[in-house]
Amino acid sequence: MKKMQAMPVRRTWLRLGATLVLGASSLLASGAAVAAELHVITSGAFTEAYKQLIPIYEAASGHTVRSSFGASVGNAPDSIPSRFARGEKFDLVILSETGLEALEKDGRLVPGSRLDLARSHIGAAVRKGAPRPDISTVEALRRTLLEAGSVAYSASASGAYLSTVLFPKLGVEERLRQTGKRILSERVGAVVARGDAELGFQQVSELIYFKELDFIGTLPPEVQQSLFFSAGLVQDSSQQEAARHLARFLRSAAVAPIVRATGLDPVAEAPAR
């Protein structure tokens, strides 16, 4: 996935919509008959896929989904760990595998309930029309990081990897102390789009929807972080069966084309035609 253009997700949804509703209806027929109201929180990387899929799920299942959004890790007020710490109630959580493991360790999630939905990769973008730096090799990436006037990265899973693993590994940590911008509570793409950073790194699925940006590619394979984004059942939820039902739908082969169109690699693949 060295280069990726923003895909026409809305057109994909319209083309697949009728087929998916029929397929989802078949998948969901075995679910609970009583309509439920589910409270779900999802982190950024899965957000675009989630927003496309939830209306399909609601139409096919009769359940209602109330949605919240926050970073997988970190102490920002709207991050998923912070919201759990404040006592906010959810039935299903969708976040990076590292974030999920931390919540499970804290006793927030049902042990063994993890269901991997998709795999995500880190990419980079610049403001539309700006020079496109080279990140195609490890040495080119290192040079680009040293030369960039400002570099934005997430305070969540991808940013934690960049700041604690990749920057030290490349020997650019000291330079990034001066030029790095750790972004809380908004997407890195928004910061780059308004000109507050020259170069931005985040999950591909969180960058490719900004029309004001040029996506320049993913990190080289040798230093790429590939993360699962996974669903987990919340320990004290009274809607665990319905929440499990939704998680299975989000992982199903029927919806894999939409998941892939949003910049993620779905765990389940759509059957060949």
Side-chain angles (χ1 to χ4, degrees), residues 57-72:
Y57 178 78
E58 290 180 317
S61 69
H63 297 330
T64 300
V65 181
R66 306 296 183 199
S67 302
S68 299
F69 305 92
S72 290

Side-chain angles (χ1 to χ4, degrees), residues 79-146:
S79 73
I80 293 175
S82 294
R83 297 179 78 154
F84 270 95
R86 285 198 301 270
E88 292 190 41
K89 301 296 184 183
F90 302 102
D91 302 300
L92 187 72
V93 60
I94 301 168
L95 72 172
S96 69
E97 58 186 277
T98 51
L100 188 144
E101 288 164 2
L103 287 182
E104 189 172 57
K105 186 176 181 180
D106 287 345
R108 306 283 189 182
L109 305 183
V110 175
S113 67
R114 170 178 169 175
L115 191 65
D116 295 333
L117 305 179
R119 192 187 290 272
S120 179
H121 305 277
I122 299 172
V126 295
R127 199 172 187 182
K128 184 168 286 296
R132 298 166 64 98
D134 185 5
I135 63 166
S136 62
T137 67
V138 173
E139 183 52 37
L141 172 64
R142 180 178 181 278
R143 187 166 55 248
T144 289
L145 288 168
L146 289 172

Side-chain angles (χ1 to χ4, degrees), residues 5 10 15 17 30 38-39 54 66 72 111 126 133 138 155 163 168 183 208 247 255-256 270:
Q5 301 297 323
R10 183 167 180 77
R15 186 173 66 249
S30 61
L38 292 169
H39 293 260
I54 289 303
R66 306 296 183 199
S72 290
V126 295
V138 173
S163 61
I183 307 304
I208 62 175
V255 305

Side-chain angles (χ1 to χ4, degrees), residues 13 16-17 19-31 38 46 49-63 65 92 94 115-118 231 241-259 266-268:
W13 193 98
L16 296 173
T19 300
L20 284 172
V21 168
L22 289 173
S25 297
S26 174
L27 170 73
L28 299 171
S30 61
L38 292 169
F46 200 73
Y50 177 89
K51 287 179 177 178
Q52 296 289 327
L53 295 173
I54 289 303
I56 300 173
Y57 178 78
E58 290 180 317
S61 69
H63 297 330
V65 181
L92 187 72
I94 301 168
L115 191 65
D116 295 333
L117 305 179
E241 193 53 43
R244 183 179 290 109
H245 195 240
L246 171 56
R248 288 201 305 265
F249 168 78
L250 295 173
R251 179 190 166 99
S252 67
V255 305
I258 284 180
V259 174
V267 170

Side-chain angles (χ1 to χ4, degrees), residues 87-231:
E88 292 190 41
K89 301 296 184 183
F90 302 102
D91 302 300
L92 187 72
V93 60
I94 301 168
L95 72 172
S96 69
E97 58 186 277
T98 51
L100 188 144
E101 288 164 2
L103 287 182
E104 189 172 57
K105 186 176 181 180
D106 287 345
R108 306 283 189 182
L109 305 183
V110 175
S113 67
R114 170 178 169 175
L115 191 65
D116 295 333
L117 305 179
R119 192 187 290 272
S120 179
H121 305 277
I122 299 172
V126 295
R127 199 172 187 182
K128 184 168 286 296
R132 298 166 64 98
D134 185 5
I135 63 166
S136 62
T137 67
V138 173
E139 183 52 37
L141 172 64
R142 180 178 181 278
R143 187 166 55 248
T144 289
L145 288 168
L146 289 172
E147 293 174 355
S150 54
V151 178
Y153 57 91
S154 170
S156 192
S158 62
Y161 166 73
L162 292 172
S163 61
T164 64
V165 178
L166 183 58
F167 295 162
K169 181 176 182 177
L170 295 181
V172 299
E173 187 177 21
E174 191 57 39
R175 171 64 174 166
L176 269 294
R177 291 189 202 280
Q178 305 169 41
T179 60
K181 296 176 177 281
R182 184 172 176 266
I183 307 304
L184 290 165
S185 301
E186 69 174 327
R187 290 190 174 183
V188 168
V191 176
V192 177
R194 64 174 178 259
D196 288 346
E198 179 182 314
L199 176 64
F201 291 87
Q202 200 164 21
Q203 308 291 345
V204 171
S205 59
E206 298 184 70
L207 290 173
I208 62 175
Y209 287 91
F210 285 91
K211 295 178 181 179
E212 308 89 342
L213 300 181
D214 284 331
F215 182 78
I216 61 173
T218 55
L219 296 181
E222 302 94 318
V223 294
Q224 178 62 262
Q225 183 198 49
S226 179
L227 275 181
F228 280 115
F229 278 76
S230 309

